[in-house]
Amino acid sequence: MTDKKELIMSLGSNCDQETCMSEAMSRLRDMFGNDIVFTEQIWTTPIGIESESFLNCLAFTHTSHKLEHVVKAVKHIEKMCGSRKGARANNIVKMDIDILKYGGQVLHESDWNREYIVRLMKCCPFTQ
């Protein structure tokens, strides 16, 4: 078994936001158990698209799974929440889960400067 790596994910939805967020959080809890912690949920203005406001939060946990497995699992959760490529082409994002950090590997580097991520990172249990 591999050492556990810290995992930070961002979650966002701009359609049926509260329901989709609740569904995604529930599925992530099923996947990671009691080790997962979510920040508060905040409303944000869409970046780069015209749409309804987004509901966003961050999730912090640890995993012994390889990054490829985690990516596949969160993409499955997005689909289970109703996210579809065709809908995204029309600026409808039922659920978007981005892996921001996996162990020492920082992903989605441009997202780290977004105001809501900076704000929510202040709640990060790994940096306290």
Side-chain angles (χ1 to χ4, degrees), residues 77-94:
I77 291 171
E78 288 177 348
K79 287 180 184 174
M80 296 300 293
C81 291
S83 198
R84 302 286 182 266
K85 284 184 184 180
R88 284 185 183 220
N90 293 313
N91 297 334
I92 297 170
V93 181
K94 288 276 200 166

Side-chain angles (χ1 to χ4, degrees), residues 114-125:
R114 293 183 175 179
E115 185 276 329
Y116 73 93
I117 289 182
V118 170
R119 176 180 162 191
L120 292 173
M121 278 302 296
K122 292 178 182 173
C123 302
C124 177

Side-chain angles (χ1 to χ4, degrees), residues 2-118:
T2 325
D3 289 331
K4 286 199 169 200
K5 302 200 184 298
E6 69 179 35
L7 180 64
I8 302 173
M9 297 172 281
S10 65
L11 288 73
S13 174
N14 72 354
C15 180
D16 197 16
Q17 296 95 323
E18 283 123 345
T19 300
C20 291
M21 188 66 72
S22 178
E23 176 75 14
M25 291 169 76
S26 176
R27 291 183 180 278
L28 287 167
R29 277 189 203 96
D30 289 345
M31 183 174 172
F32 294 105
N34 293 332
D35 187 42
I36 195 162
V37 176
F38 297 96
T39 63
E40 67 177 309
Q41 298 174 28
I42 59 174
W43 293 96
T44 62
T45 303
I47 299 171
I49 65 171
E50 287 190 30
S51 77
E52 297 292 320
S53 293
F54 273 80
L55 185 60
N56 297 95
C57 76
L58 298 180
F60 304 96
T61 190
H62 294 86
T63 185
S64 56
H65 294 290
K66 293 188 180 289
L67 178 59
E68 298 77 22
H69 174 82
V70 178
V71 168
K72 187 175 182 178
V74 298
K75 294 304 168 198
H76 178 71
I77 291 171
E78 288 177 348
K79 287 180 184 174
M80 296 300 293
C81 291
S83 198
R84 302 286 182 266
K85 284 184 184 180
R88 284 185 183 220
N90 293 313
N91 297 334
I92 297 170
V93 181
K94 288 276 200 166
M95 179 50 55
D96 182 40
I97 304 172
D98 290 328
I99 299 168
L100 298 178
K101 188 171 185 187
Y102 174 81
Q105 188 175 358
V106 175
L107 307 159
H108 297 275
E109 289 185 30
S110 63
D111 290 1
W112 285 85
N113 295 320
R114 293 183 175 179
E115 185 276 329
Y116 73 93
I117 289 182
V118 170

